[in-house]
């Protein structure tokens, strides 16, 4: 079994896309999946539940936890108590995964020497704005550095 922890706060729009992208990416996974959404606000929890219920997901379950809004570390510790399985994916409510990403991450754990895996973040902001330019610059630089360290 695989556990996926999603932390989200005031992300009632993006949590829908986040959950639907996870459900879509999980279709090729043979194992059961437990999504643990932890949010301090009811709007984000409600949006996550509504999106999850729209999908046909007999091998995926959703557990929602309302956290006391005392920071992400406390939220993660609350979610940690609900983890099942040997592998945990951590993500945020404004992160959308590609349809093959979960399978690609899980495949890395076939090697017993692997203890952790990270995805390749890709900015969705336009490069034409200052912050969009910086977000692409930094995510690309981090990826390039990781690729360099592999060799």
């Amino acid at each position: 079994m695989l556990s996926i922890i999603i932390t989200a706060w005031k992300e009632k729009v993006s949590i829908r896309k986040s959950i639907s992208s996870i459900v879509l990416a999980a279709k090729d996974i043979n194992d059961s999946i437990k999504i643990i959404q932890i949010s301090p606000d009811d709007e984000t929890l409600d949006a996550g539940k509504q999106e999850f219920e729209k999908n046909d997901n007999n091998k995926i379950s959703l557990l929602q936890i309302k956290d006391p809004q005392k920071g992400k570390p406390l939220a993660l510790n609350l979610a940690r108590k609900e983890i099942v399985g040997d592998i945990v994916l951590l993500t945020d409510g404004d992160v959308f995964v590609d349809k093959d990403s979960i399978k690609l991450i899980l495949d890395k754990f076939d090697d017993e020497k692997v203890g952790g895996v990270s995805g390749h973040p890709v900015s969705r902001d336009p490069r034409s704005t200052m912050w969009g330019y910086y977000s692409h610059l930094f995510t690309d630089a981090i990826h390039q550095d990781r690729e360099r360290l592999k060799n």
Side-chain angles (χ1 to χ4, degrees):
M1 183 161 215
L2 165 69
S3 292
I4 301 174
I5 298 174
I6 306 172
T7 53
W9 179 55
K10 291 189 177 182
E11 293 175 311
K12 69 180 186 176
V13 173
S14 60
I15 191 71
R16 291 176 185 275
K17 187 165 182 184
S18 180
I19 287 179
S20 66
S21 72
I22 289 169
V23 170
L24 179 65
K27 289 195 185 297
D28 294 332
I29 309 300
N30 294 328
D31 210 355
S32 297
I33 297 173
K34 181 178 186 179
I35 298 174
I36 305 167
Q37 178 194 349
I38 184 152
S39 304
D41 59 309
D42 291 328
E43 296 82 12
T44 304
L45 289 169
D46 292 342
K49 183 177 181 180
Q50 290 169 5
E51 186 61 36
F52 181 78
E53 289 175 347
K54 285 180 11 183
N55 295 285
D56 176 31
N57 38 33
N58 52 3
K59 66 180 177 183
I60 306 172
S61 63
L62 174 68
L63 171 67
Q64 293 184 304
I65 302 171
K66 184 167 183 171
D67 77 70
Q69 197 173 352
K70 293 188 178 182
K72 191 169 185 173
L74 177 68
L76 288 171
N77 279 323
L78 291 172
R80 183 180 56 88
K81 296 174 184 176
E82 302 297 335
I83 291 171
V84 292
D86 295 331
I87 299 175
V88 180
L89 299 180
L90 301 173
T91 189
D92 289 314
D94 61 351
V95 173
F96 319 126
V97 299
D98 190 53
K99 62 179 171 68
D100 297 325
S101 59
I102 295 176
K103 183 177 182 335
L104 291 171
I105 288 172
L106 294 178
D107 287 348
K108 299 291 184 188
F109 287 101
D110 290 342
D111 182 348
E112 292 181 9
K113 294 178 184 175
V114 172
V117 179
S118 173
H120 172 191
V122 178
S123 176
R124 294 175 30 111
D125 294 327
R127 288 182 189 264
S128 58
T129 67
M130 181 180 74
W131 295 115
Y133 174 80
Y134 285 137
S135 68
H136 282 274
L137 176 71
F138 294 135
T139 56
D140 292 347
I142 290 167
H143 179 67
Q144 293 294 330
D145 199 41
R146 272 199 343 224
E147 290 297 313
R148 181 184 57 81
L149 292 173
K150 277 187 194 176
N151 301 326

Short mmCIF file of all heavy atoms in Angstrom, two decimals, residues 64-99:
data_model
loop_
_atom_site.label_atom_id
_atom_site.label_comp_id
_atom_site.label_asym_id
_atom_site.label_seq_id
_atom_site.Cartn_x
_atom_site.Cartn_y
_atom_site.Cartn_z
N GLN A 64 -9.37 12.62 5.29
CA GLN A 64 -9.15 14.05 5.46
C GLN A 64 -8.99 14.36 6.94
O GLN A 64 -9.73 13.84 7.78
CB GLN A 64 -10.33 14.83 4.89
CG GLN A 64 -10.42 14.71 3.38
CD GLN A 64 -11.53 15.56 2.81
OE1 GLN A 64 -12.68 15.42 3.22
NE2 GLN A 64 -11.18 16.43 1.88
N ILE A 65 -8.03 15.22 7.22
CA ILE A 65 -7.74 15.64 8.58
C ILE A 65 -7.77 17.16 8.63
O ILE A 65 -7.16 17.82 7.79
CB ILE A 65 -6.35 15.15 9.04
CG1 ILE A 65 -6.26 13.62 8.94
CG2 ILE A 65 -6.04 15.64 10.45
CD1 ILE A 65 -4.85 13.08 9.16
N LYS A 66 -8.48 17.68 9.60
CA LYS A 66 -8.48 19.14 9.80
C LYS A 66 -7.40 19.45 10.84
O LYS A 66 -7.49 19.00 11.98
CB LYS A 66 -9.84 19.64 10.26
CG LYS A 66 -9.89 21.15 10.37
CD LYS A 66 -11.28 21.68 10.51
CE LYS A 66 -11.20 23.19 10.54
NZ LYS A 66 -12.49 23.81 10.46
N ASP A 67 -6.40 20.18 10.41
CA ASP A 67 -5.31 20.49 11.35
C ASP A 67 -5.59 21.82 12.05
O ASP A 67 -6.39 22.63 11.58
CB ASP A 67 -3.95 20.48 10.64
CG ASP A 67 -3.67 21.70 9.80
OD1 ASP A 67 -3.47 22.78 10.38
OD2 ASP A 67 -3.62 21.58 8.57
N PRO A 68 -4.95 22.05 13.20
CA PRO A 68 -5.24 23.25 14.00
C PRO A 68 -4.56 24.53 13.50
O PRO A 68 -4.54 25.53 14.21
CB PRO A 68 -4.73 22.87 15.39
CG PRO A 68 -3.64 21.89 15.14
CD PRO A 68 -4.06 21.13 13.90
N GLN A 69 -4.00 24.50 12.29
CA GLN A 69 -3.34 25.65 11.68
C GLN A 69 -2.20 26.19 12.56
O GLN A 69 -2.10 27.38 12.83
CB GLN A 69 -4.34 26.77 11.37
CG GLN A 69 -3.82 27.78 10.38
CD GLN A 69 -4.87 28.78 9.94
OE1 GLN A 69 -6.04 28.65 10.25
NE2 GLN A 69 -4.44 29.78 9.21
N LYS A 70 -1.33 25.27 12.95
CA LYS A 70 -0.16 25.65 13.73
C LYS A 70 1.13 25.32 13.00
O LYS A 70 2.15 25.06 13.60
CB LYS A 70 -0.19 24.95 15.09
CG LYS A 70 -1.32 25.44 15.97
CD LYS A 70 -1.24 24.89 17.35
CE LYS A 70 -2.37 25.46 18.19
NZ LYS A 70 -2.32 25.01 19.55
N GLY A 71 1.04 25.30 11.66
CA GLY A 71 2.23 25.10 10.85
C GLY A 71 2.27 23.75 10.16
O GLY A 71 1.64 22.79 10.59
N LYS A 72 3.04 23.73 9.09
CA LYS A 72 3.14 22.52 8.28
C LYS A 72 3.79 21.35 9.03
O LYS A 72 3.35 20.21 8.86
CB LYS A 72 3.89 22.82 6.99
CG LYS A 72 3.82 21.72 5.98
CD LYS A 72 4.35 22.19 4.65
CE LYS A 72 4.18 21.13 3.59
NZ LYS A 72 4.53 21.62 2.27
N PRO A 73 4.83 21.58 9.85
CA PRO A 73 5.41 20.44 10.57
C PRO A 73 4.38 19.71 11.45
O PRO A 73 4.35 18.48 11.47
CB PRO A 73 6.51 21.06 11.42
CG PRO A 73 6.92 22.28 10.65
CD PRO A 73 5.63 22.80 10.06
N LEU A 74 3.53 20.45 12.15
CA LEU A 74 2.50 19.82 12.97
C LEU A 74 1.51 19.07 12.09
O LEU A 74 1.11 17.94 12.40
CB LEU A 74 1.76 20.85 13.83
CG LEU A 74 0.62 20.26 14.66
CD1 LEU A 74 1.15 19.37 15.75
CD2 LEU A 74 -0.25 21.35 15.23
N ALA A 75 1.13 19.67 10.97
CA ALA A 75 0.20 19.01 10.05
C ALA A 75 0.79 17.70 9.54
O ALA A 75 0.09 16.67 9.49
CB ALA A 75 -0.12 19.95 8.87
N LEU A 76 2.05 17.70 9.16
CA LEU A 76 2.69 16.48 8.68
C LEU A 76 2.76 15.41 9.77
O LEU A 76 2.59 14.22 9.50
CB LEU A 76 4.08 16.78 8.12
CG LEU A 76 4.11 17.53 6.80
CD1 LEU A 76 5.53 17.96 6.45
CD2 LEU A 76 3.52 16.69 5.69
N ASN A 77 3.00 15.83 11.00
CA ASN A 77 3.04 14.86 12.10
C ASN A 77 1.66 14.25 12.35
O ASN A 77 1.56 13.07 12.69
CB ASN A 77 3.59 15.50 13.38
CG ASN A 77 5.10 15.54 13.37
OD1 ASN A 77 5.76 14.63 12.88
ND2 ASN A 77 5.66 16.62 13.89
N LEU A 78 0.60 15.04 12.20
CA LEU A 78 -0.75 14.49 12.34
C LEU A 78 -1.03 13.47 11.23
O LEU A 78 -1.58 12.40 11.47
CB LEU A 78 -1.79 15.61 12.29
CG LEU A 78 -1.83 16.56 13.48
CD1 LEU A 78 -2.77 17.73 13.20
CD2 LEU A 78 -2.25 15.83 14.75
N ALA A 79 -0.62 13.80 10.02
CA ALA A 79 -0.83 12.90 8.88
C ALA A 79 0.04 11.65 9.01
O ALA A 79 -0.38 10.55 8.64
CB ALA A 79 -0.53 13.63 7.58
N ARG A 80 1.23 11.81 9.56
CA ARG A 80 2.17 10.69 9.69
C ARG A 80 1.56 9.53 10.47
O ARG A 80 1.81 8.37 10.19
CB ARG A 80 3.44 11.18 10.37
CG ARG A 80 4.53 10.13 10.51
CD ARG A 80 5.76 10.70 11.19
NE ARG A 80 5.49 11.28 12.48
CZ ARG A 80 5.50 10.60 13.63
NH1 ARG A 80 5.75 9.32 13.64
NH2 ARG A 80 5.26 11.21 14.77
N LYS A 81 0.72 9.85 11.43
CA LYS A 81 0.08 8.81 12.25
C LYS A 81 -0.87 7.93 11.46
O LYS A 81 -1.24 6.86 11.89
CB LYS A 81 -0.66 9.47 13.42
CG LYS A 81 0.25 10.20 14.37
CD LYS A 81 -0.54 10.94 15.42
CE LYS A 81 0.39 11.75 16.30
NZ LYS A 81 -0.34 12.57 17.27
N GLU A 82 -1.27 8.40 10.28
CA GLU A 82 -2.24 7.67 9.45
C GLU A 82 -1.60 6.93 8.27
O GLU A 82 -2.30 6.31 7.48
CB GLU A 82 -3.30 8.65 8.92
CG GLU A 82 -4.03 9.41 10.00
CD GLU A 82 -4.86 8.50 10.91
OE1 GLU A 82 -5.26 7.39 10.48
OE2 GLU A 82 -5.09 8.90 12.07
N ILE A 83 -0.29 6.99 8.17
CA ILE A 83 0.41 6.37 7.05
C ILE A 83 0.29 4.85 7.12
O ILE A 83 0.40 4.25 8.17
CB ILE A 83 1.91 6.76 7.07
CG1 ILE A 83 2.07 8.24 6.74
CG2 ILE A 83 2.72 5.90 6.12
CD1 ILE A 83 3.47 8.76 6.94
N VAL A 84 0.05 4.26 5.95
CA VAL A 84 0.08 2.81 5.80
C VAL A 84 1.01 2.49 4.63
O VAL A 84 1.12 3.27 3.69
CB VAL A 84 -1.32 2.22 5.56
CG1 VAL A 84 -2.18 2.35 6.79
CG2 VAL A 84 -2.01 2.87 4.39
N GLY A 85 1.67 1.36 4.70
CA GLY A 85 2.57 0.97 3.63
C GLY A 85 3.99 1.43 3.87
O GLY A 85 4.28 2.12 4.85
N ASP A 86 4.86 1.03 2.96
CA ASP A 86 6.29 1.31 3.10
C ASP A 86 6.73 2.59 2.42
O ASP A 86 7.81 3.08 2.68
CB ASP A 86 7.10 0.15 2.50
CG ASP A 86 6.89 -1.14 3.27
OD1 ASP A 86 6.63 -1.08 4.48
OD2 ASP A 86 6.97 -2.21 2.63
N ILE A 87 5.93 3.11 1.50
CA ILE A 87 6.33 4.28 0.72
C ILE A 87 5.32 5.40 0.94
O ILE A 87 4.11 5.17 0.92
CB ILE A 87 6.45 3.95 -0.78
CG1 ILE A 87 7.52 2.87 -0.99
CG2 ILE A 87 6.77 5.19 -1.59
CD1 ILE A 87 7.64 2.38 -2.40
N VAL A 88 5.84 6.60 1.16
CA VAL A 88 5.00 7.78 1.38
C VAL A 88 5.41 8.85 0.38
O VAL A 88 6.59 9.16 0.24
CB VAL A 88 5.19 8.34 2.81
CG1 VAL A 88 4.32 9.56 3.02
CG2 VAL A 88 4.91 7.28 3.85
N LEU A 89 4.43 9.40 -0.32
CA LEU A 89 4.67 10.53 -1.20
C LEU A 89 4.14 11.78 -0.50
O LEU A 89 3.01 11.77 0.00
CB LEU A 89 3.96 10.36 -2.54
CG LEU A 89 4.36 9.17 -3.40
CD1 LEU A 89 3.57 9.15 -4.70
CD2 LEU A 89 5.84 9.17 -3.69
N LEU A 90 4.94 12.82 -0.47
CA LEU A 90 4.53 14.10 0.11
C LEU A 90 4.34 15.10 -1.01
O LEU A 90 5.19 15.23 -1.88
CB LEU A 90 5.60 14.62 1.08
CG LEU A 90 5.96 13.73 2.26
CD1 LEU A 90 7.14 14.31 3.01
CD2 LEU A 90 4.78 13.56 3.18
N THR A 91 3.22 15.81 -0.97
CA THR A 91 2.95 16.82 -1.98
C THR A 91 2.10 17.92 -1.38
O THR A 91 1.71 17.86 -0.21
CB THR A 91 2.29 16.18 -3.23
OG1 THR A 91 2.24 17.16 -4.27
CG2 THR A 91 0.92 15.64 -2.94
N ASP A 92 1.82 18.93 -2.17
CA ASP A 92 1.01 20.06 -1.72
C ASP A 92 -0.22 20.20 -2.60
O ASP A 92 -0.27 19.68 -3.72
CB ASP A 92 1.83 21.36 -1.80
CG ASP A 92 2.92 21.41 -0.74
OD1 ASP A 92 2.62 21.10 0.43
OD2 ASP A 92 4.06 21.76 -1.08
N GLY A 93 -1.18 20.95 -2.10
CA GLY A 93 -2.44 21.13 -2.80
C GLY A 93 -2.34 21.90 -4.09
O GLY A 93 -3.26 21.87 -4.90
N ASP A 94 -1.23 22.58 -4.32
CA ASP A 94 -1.06 23.32 -5.57
C ASP A 94 -0.06 22.64 -6.51
O ASP A 94 0.44 23.24 -7.43
CB ASP A 94 -0.66 24.76 -5.31
CG ASP A 94 0.66 24.89 -4.57
OD1 ASP A 94 1.20 23.85 -4.10
OD2 ASP A 94 1.17 26.01 -4.46
N VAL A 95 0.19 21.36 -6.25
CA VAL A 95 1.10 20.58 -7.10
C VAL A 95 0.27 19.58 -7.89
O VAL A 95 -0.57 18.88 -7.35
CB VAL A 95 2.15 19.84 -6.24
CG1 VAL A 95 2.98 18.90 -7.09
CG2 VAL A 95 3.03 20.84 -5.51
N PHE A 96 0.53 19.53 -9.19
CA PHE A 96 -0.19 18.63 -10.07
C PHE A 96 0.82 17.64 -10.64
O PHE A 96 1.85 18.06 -11.17
CB PHE A 96 -0.87 19.40 -11.20
CG PHE A 96 -1.51 20.68 -10.73
CD1 PHE A 96 -1.20 21.88 -11.33
CD2 PHE A 96 -2.40 20.69 -9.66
CE1 PHE A 96 -1.76 23.07 -10.90
CE2 PHE A 96 -2.97 21.86 -9.22
CZ PHE A 96 -2.66 23.06 -9.84
N VAL A 97 0.53 16.36 -10.53
CA VAL A 97 1.47 15.35 -10.99
C VAL A 97 1.12 14.90 -12.40
O VAL A 97 -0.04 14.89 -12.79
CB VAL A 97 1.53 14.14 -10.04
CG1 VAL A 97 1.98 14.56 -8.66
CG2 VAL A 97 0.18 13.43 -9.93
N ASP A 98 2.13 14.53 -13.14
CA ASP A 98 1.95 14.02 -14.49
C ASP A 98 1.41 12.60 -14.42
O ASP A 98 1.57 11.90 -13.41
CB ASP A 98 3.29 14.05 -15.23
CG ASP A 98 3.15 13.77 -16.70
OD1 ASP A 98 2.34 14.45 -17.35
OD2 ASP A 98 3.85 12.87 -17.20
N LYS A 99 0.78 12.15 -15.48
CA LYS A 99 0.10 10.85 -15.45
C LYS A 99 1.03 9.67 -15.20
O LYS A 99 0.60 8.64 -14.72
CB LYS A 99 -0.71 10.63 -16.73
CG LYS A 99 0.09 10.60 -18.00
CD LYS A 99 -0.83 10.36 -19.19
CE LYS A 99 -0.14 10.52 -20.50
NZ LYS A 99 0.85 9.55 -20.81
#
